[in-house]
Amino acid sequence: MISWLPLLSFSFSNRRQIETFFANGAIAAGDWVQLDTTKTGADRVLYVVEALAGTATGNPLVVGVATEAAAAGDQVRVVVAGYAENASVANAVGSAGIALVVDNTQAGQAVAIAAADTAPACGVSLEAAAGNTADVWVFKQF
């Protein structure tokens, strides 16, 4: 009998999905990123930028968390669904299980979703934030 158990050893969730985009500006590892609507046509879903802060009701263009730093024109890998370590999350997120959204607090950083937010949650905290980072589960929106 063949045992598949050794083949099922993972260091991360096999439910995580990573997509490669092009950066249209500086992106730090752990930043939440959004589709770049300054582009035209299909490039709007090929390029990403650090998720903008400026909408009090949340940013519906957020697609995930950058796994590495990138400069304008670089390829950048983005967790679009599943587990992401050290995502940019405000220290005010004090526990696991908090729904997250990027709003008008700080670019690239998620905060606890508020009742007034109309954008969907982009993820959920898996731990309390410390040093403005936390491990999160990214909700698939791309």
Side-chain angles (χ1 to χ4, degrees), residues 2-142:
I2 297 174
S3 172
W4 295 103
L5 192 55
L7 298 176
L8 297 178
S9 175
F10 296 98
S11 62
F12 59 87
S13 172
N14 64 342
R15 291 170 181 84
R16 181 167 75 163
Q17 181 181 351
I18 296 177
E19 297 288 342
T20 302
F21 295 88
F22 287 101
N24 194 27
I27 296 172
D31 274 354
W32 291 85
V33 297
Q34 72 171 61
L35 299 174
D36 186 1
T37 58
T38 67
K39 296 291 186 181
T40 59
D43 282 351
R44 288 178 284 209
V45 295
L46 180 60
Y47 285 83
V48 292
V49 293
E50 180 183 55
L52 300 176
T55 305
T57 57
N59 184 338
L61 294 170
V62 173
V63 293
V65 175
T67 63
E68 67 231 348
D74 289 349
Q75 289 187 358
V76 60
R77 291 169 33 96
V78 176
V79 176
V80 296
Y83 182 74
E85 283 186 329
N86 299 319
S88 181
V89 176
N91 281 340
V93 175
S95 65
I98 305 295
L100 302 171
V101 67
V102 177
D103 64 10
N104 61 348
T105 306
Q106 181 176 330
Q109 187 174 82
V111 297
I113 198 166
D117 289 331
T118 57
C122 54
V124 63
S125 63
L126 297 174
E127 62 185 0
N132 289 315
T133 65
D135 295 347
V136 300
W137 186 265
V138 177
F139 295 153
K140 185 166 177 60
Q141 299 186 89
F142 176 78

